[in-house]
């Protein structure tokens, strides 16, 4: 069992929390504001998930997953540099500006990436980028696609990437679906793939998809 904090309580963060909790991990879901007490499920059907503010979540867990909106992530997580020191930070977000319809229209950090900016701002934290090249539903249900998907890994620390790959396995990702593409600078390539997303969504709607590597 691993203690995992998830920053962000939207569809991405909540989905990751439920699935990782169901595989036996101790999960804390980090809210922007101190949350009200959430009652436990009396049936036991939903694994217990602790709720806390983001400061407490980052300070009290061993691995932290960033599922906050990418355009505000850098400022938000830079303020948690003390809490995140010595930990693995798994970043699954994309930093984008948005079109009037709410879909991504441009990158916030062209020529760089959010993951690189996070690693620079958090030198005592081991940043790993992954799961940012797919519809959020595929993160926790990769086997539902008819074509095998790919989860790319970018990061400077080999051990941190190996631990992240283990968590991906708990989410249903087979080893052959996980592609380590190199150091943290490679995240600018996968983050740029988000520019495909609005065109796919406008044409096909919220049908599950992933940007996969075919061989």
């Amino acid at each position: 069992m691993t203690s995992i904090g998830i920053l962000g309580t939207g569809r991405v963060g909540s989905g990751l929390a439920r699935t990782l909790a169901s595989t036996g991990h101790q999960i804390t879901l980090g809210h922007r504001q101190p949350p009200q007490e959430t009652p436990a499920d009396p049936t036991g059907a939903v694994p217990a998930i602790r709720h806390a503010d983001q400061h407490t979540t980052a300070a009290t867990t061993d691995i932290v997953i960033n599922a906050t909106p990418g355009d505000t992530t850098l400022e938000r997580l830079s303020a948690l540099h003390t809490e995140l020191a010595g930990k693995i930070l798994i970043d699954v977000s994309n930093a984008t500006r948005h079109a009037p319809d709410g879909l991504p229209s441009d990158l916030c950090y062209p020529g760089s990436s959010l993951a690189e900016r996070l690693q620079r701002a958090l030198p005592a934290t081991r940043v790993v980028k992954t799961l940012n090249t797919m519809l959020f539903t595929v993160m926790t249900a990769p086997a539902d696609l008819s074509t095998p998907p790919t989860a790319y890994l970018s990061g400077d620390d080999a051990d941190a990437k190996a631990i992240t790959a283990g968590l991906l396995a708990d989410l249903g990702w087979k080893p052959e679906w996980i592609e380590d593409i190199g150091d943290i600078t490679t995240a600018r390539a996968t983050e740029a793939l988000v520019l495909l997303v609005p065109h796919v969504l406008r044409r096909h709607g919220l049908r599950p998809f992933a940007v996969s590597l075919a061989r």
Side-chain angles (χ1 to χ4, degrees):
M1 180 178 67
T2 302
S3 172
I4 301 173
I6 300 177
L7 305 180
T9 59
R11 296 178 298 185
V12 173
S14 297
L16 290 170
R18 287 191 299 269
T19 304
L20 288 170
S22 72
T23 63
H25 296 291
Q26 181 181 336
I27 303 298
T28 302
L29 195 55
H31 299 249
R32 294 189 65 177
Q33 302 296 327
Q36 296 181 345
E37 187 66 27
T38 302
D41 175 24
T43 67
V46 178
I49 296 174
R50 180 186 176 205
H51 294 259
D53 61 83
Q54 293 184 355
H55 171 93
T56 301
T57 299
T60 59
T61 53
D62 299 321
I63 297 172
V64 177
I65 298 174
N66 172 50
T68 64
D71 57 343
T72 60
T73 285
L74 186 58
E75 180 180 5
R76 191 192 309 259
L77 269 62
S78 294
L80 300 174
H81 62 92
T82 299
E83 293 80 4
L84 291 170
K87 300 183 179 181
I88 296 172
L89 173 65
I90 301 172
D91 177 34
V92 304
S93 67
N94 284 303
T96 59
R97 298 182 178 89
H98 295 88
D101 61 2
L103 294 177
S105 64
D106 201 0
L107 301 175
C108 290
Y109 308 112
S112 183
S113 66
L114 173 59
E116 291 173 80
R117 299 293 184 98
L118 286 171
Q119 187 62 85
R120 189 179 310 136
L122 304 167
T125 302
R126 296 178 288 170
V127 178
V128 179
K129 188 81 180 192
T130 193
L131 293 180
N132 62 309
T133 55
M134 62 201 67
L135 192 67
F136 68 93
T137 57
V138 179
M139 295 178 176
T140 56
D144 287 354
L145 296 183
S146 59
T147 302
T150 303
Y152 304 95
L153 291 176
S154 298
D156 293 336
D157 188 283
D159 289 339
K161 287 191 285 187
I163 291 169
T164 300
L167 293 180
L168 292 179
D170 291 337
L171 293 171
W173 290 85
K174 297 180 180 180
E176 60 269 26
W177 297 349
I178 301 172
E179 187 76 19
D180 183 344
I181 57 173
D183 66 25
I184 200 66
T185 65
T186 64
R188 68 181 64 181
T190 60
E191 289 189 23
L193 291 172
V194 73
L195 298 180
L196 284 170
V197 169
H199 308 296
V200 173
L201 294 183
R202 290 185 185 111
R203 184 171 178 83
H204 300 288
L206 286 174
R207 290 173 57 187
F209 74 93
V211 181
S212 300
L213 181 64
R215 287 193 175 96

